Amino acid sequence: MDNLLVLVNVIILLLFIGILVYMQRKYFSFSKRVFAGLGLGILLGAILQIAYSADSDIVANTTDWYNIVGRGYIRLLMVIVIPLIMVSIIQSIINLEKSSELGKMSAWIIGILITTTMIAAAVGIASASIFNLDADQIEMGEAEQQRGLDLEERLGTVEGLTTPQKILEFIPSNIFLDMTGERATSVIAVVIFSILVGIALLGVRRKQPEQAEKFVEIVNAFYAVIMRLVTLILRLAPYGILALMANTVAQTNIAGIIELGKFVGASYVALIVMFGIHLLLLALFGLNPLVYVRKALPVLSFAFTSRSSAGTIPLTIEVQRKNLGVNSGIANMAASFGATMGQNGCAGIYPAMLAVMIAPSQGIDPLSPGFLIPLILIIGVSSFGVAGVGGGATFAALIVLSSMNLPVALAGLLITVEPLIDMGRTALNVNDSILSGILTSKKMKNLNVEQYNDKSLVNTDVNI
């Protein structure tokens, strides 16, 4: 009987996919199909939640099948992330008019990412304080205890490293290993390697222009093929969002959310405030925030659903280049850097709120300057190299809590609501990546303001 019900649930998913296929054939815009996938996913997840229970075997087996579409789509995105980063950054450097622009461009992107992360930390601290969050108020069950033990075990991989050693981890020693994504810092290692290749090419261009031209042709050919591959995969986004959202809603522990409702509410208040700060920065740079929101919303919706900053890199690059008028090289750099450092949600708000929650249990006043100033500085430094996939927030929390001499096991108290909060955190991370690209392009005077303000591009497909 259970197998029959699972089959029925799979057929319903296929019917919903059929609706999206119909919309594509009728030339509905990419944005409309993304939001349709999001809405249908919520509806399908709610049906499963009402018909069964979140922890039932039927839901577990159903979501297992749905993962072929949802997590399968994420896997397809992840498989092109490393090649896309490599050729994008190399091509970005090739197209620079002056090699000196590279340092300025990188400094602005990194500066915006890290500065906004430290601001996000302050916002997280304020939200946790206003909502009076305290780890002692949360009851620890079996799942929370196991999660705490897992965190303590994982801490052993990062606890023994000093700050210089952590920075050293960013530097690649085996680029082929990092191309497999084996290490938490693999993406940033690939970024560094790609920058070195680009700089080397500029040197070859001055001394051996013919050899440099051959390499440029190869890079451009690779770039064209990979971008075409990106196009093909991005067309599957509405289907991936449908399945991912259905799984998330179907497996949501409503009782756990109610129990930890104060933390969920405080987290989303902090996230929304930080989104507001991002929009304020756009306004201060003379750009219309409302135009930005309308253009970025489909990408942010995907980030929200997928919970993967790295997986959203192709979309992040495309929306900057095609819809927001950002220089191509800067768009590539901002998306790549933004997936590995300065993540406002995962590396800023989340560890700050945890630290404020846990501090009273250790007899520490979380609002004392002696606690707050080191916390914000540590968050700024530790936000380098945070993995842009699921688990990045945990990695950031481990580094921050251990650096502040706070017990990491207490972070396991939030396992029930972790997926729900992670969705908002990832959307904020991606928003900051796009923001850094726009502001850097504006500062370097190569932002196409007419394209940014062109409202006809609001519903333009991000794919080719």
Side-chain angles (χ1 to χ4, degrees):
M1 183 63 181
D2 284 2
N3 289 337
L4 180 61
L5 291 173
V6 170
L7 178 60
V8 170
N9 296 335
V10 172
I11 291 173
I12 295 173
L13 174 66
L14 293 176
L15 291 174
F16 280 21
I17 288 175
I19 294 173
L20 295 175
V21 171
Y22 173 80
M23 291 180 69
Q24 184 172 356
R25 288 180 176 174
K26 290 297 180 180
Y27 302 104
F28 280 79
S29 70
F30 180 81
S31 301
K32 290 178 181 177
R33 285 185 280 122
V34 164
F35 287 120
L38 187 64
L40 291 172
I42 293 172
L43 175 61
L44 180 53
I47 291 171
L48 295 175
Q49 179 80 241
I50 294 168
Y52 317 101
S53 60
D55 57 353
S56 71
D57 290 340
I58 294 174
V59 167
N61 291 332
T62 298
T63 53
D64 209 22
W65 281 101
Y66 285 10
N67 275 333
I68 295 175
V69 179
R71 303 315 301 180
Y73 177 66
I74 297 296
R75 282 173 174 256
L76 286 175
L77 280 174
M78 293 303 296
V79 81
I80 60 172
V81 165
I82 295 296
L84 178 61
I85 288 173
M86 289 190 73
V87 297
S88 295
I89 289 179
I90 293 171
Q91 195 192 55
S92 302
I93 296 172
I94 290 171
N95 294 330
L96 288 176
E97 293 181 7
K98 300 176 183 176
S99 57
S100 59
E101 290 180 356
L102 175 62
K104 186 178 178 182
M105 179 172 69
S106 301
W108 268 102
I109 292 172
I110 294 171
I112 291 168
L113 291 171
I114 302 305
T115 301
T116 52
T117 299
M118 295 172 76
I119 295 172
V123 170
I125 290 167
S127 183
S129 301
I130 292 169
F131 280 80
N132 194 28
L133 298 182
D134 191 332
D136 290 336
Q137 298 171 352
I138 305 174
E139 191 174 325
M140 182 173 280
E142 185 179 339
E144 287 77 13
Q145 288 178 345
Q146 183 58 50
R147 174 65 168 169
L149 292 173
D150 292 342
L151 290 175
E152 287 184 332
E153 183 179 340
R154 187 173 176 183
L155 177 63
T157 63
V158 296
E159 188 177 31
L161 297 178
T162 63
T163 299
Q165 287 172 334
K166 290 170 186 173
I167 295 172
L168 188 62
E169 285 294 302
F170 303 150
I171 301 174
S173 60
N174 184 340
I175 192 58
F176 297 104
L177 176 69
D178 285 320
M179 286 174 69
T180 67
E182 179 67 22
R183 304 186 302 140
T185 56
S186 283
V187 175
I188 198 167
V190 170
V191 169
I192 291 171
F193 176 77
S194 303
I195 290 173
L196 291 174
V197 171
I199 293 172
L201 180 59
L202 293 178
V204 173
R205 179 181 278 170
R206 287 193 298 270
K207 297 181 179 180
Q208 297 173 284
E210 292 183 4
Q211 298 300 322
E213 194 57 39
K214 290 179 183 178
F215 188 81
V216 168
E217 288 180 5
I218 293 172
V219 170
N220 287 335
F222 268 105
Y223 185 79
V225 172
I226 289 172
M227 290 310 296
R228 185 59 189 169
L229 187 57
V230 168
T231 295
L232 296 175
I233 295 173
L234 290 186
R235 287 177 179 168
L236 302 174
Y239 312 111
I241 288 174
L242 163 63
L244 288 166
M245 202 66 209
N247 279 0
T248 299
V249 175
Q251 294 177 310
T252 297
N253 186 332
I254 303 299
I257 291 174
I258 293 172
E259 183 182 346
L260 295 172
K262 190 161 73 165
F263 182 82
V264 175
S267 297
Y268 271 92
V269 165
L271 292 168
I272 291 168
V273 168
M274 199 59 210
F275 268 115
I277 291 173
H278 287 177
L279 298 181
L280 179 61
L281 286 171
L282 286 171
L284 291 174
F285 273 69
L287 299 169
N288 189 328
L290 296 180
V291 170
Y292 167 79
V293 170
R294 293 176 65 191
K295 291 185 176 183
L297 207 51
V299 178
L300 299 181
S301 298
F302 176 75
F304 182 84
T305 310
S306 68
R307 296 168 53 200
S308 172
S309 300
T312 315
I313 285 177
L315 278 168
T316 307
I317 292 173
E318 289 292 90
V319 77
Q320 288 182 79
R321 289 174 56 246
K322 294 189 173 180
N323 298 58
L324 294 166
V326 176
N327 171 271
S328 180
I330 291 175
N332 293 328
M333 285 280 207
S336 303
F337 283 155
T340 54
M341 64 178 69
Q343 298 193 350
N344 287 191
C346 291
I349 289 174
Y350 181 64
M353 292 183 71
L354 281 180
V356 171
M357 281 179 62
I358 295 171
S361 69
Q362 306 302 302
I364 301 171
D365 178 7
L367 297 181
S368 66
F371 179 82
L372 291 179
I373 294 173
L375 175 61
I376 292 174
L377 291 176
I378 287 170
I379 284 174
V381 173
S382 66
S383 65
F384 283 87
V386 175
V389 293
T394 301
F395 183 73
L398 287 175
I399 295 174
V400 172
L401 294 179
S402 62
S403 298
M404 296 295 292
N405 296 316
L406 296 172
V408 299
L410 291 177
L413 293 168
L414 305 171
I415 184 174
T416 307
V417 295
E418 185 69 20
L420 179 63
I421 299 169
D422 195 41
M423 296 167 80
R425 289 192 310 236
T426 306
L428 183 63
N429 296 341
V430 170
N431 198 66
D432 195 44
S433 295
I434 300 173
L435 176 77
S436 68
I438 293 172
L439 299 188
T440 299
S441 198
K442 183 75 160 60
K443 194 66 184 176
M444 296 190 69
K445 299 179 180 179
N446 54 26
L447 178 71
N448 188 331
V449 179
E450 283 188 14
Q451 188 178 358
Y452 179 96
N453 291 322
D454 188 350
K455 295 180 181 178
S456 67
L457 296 177
V458 167
N459 289 318
T460 301
D461 284 7
V462 294
N463 48 13
I464 297 169

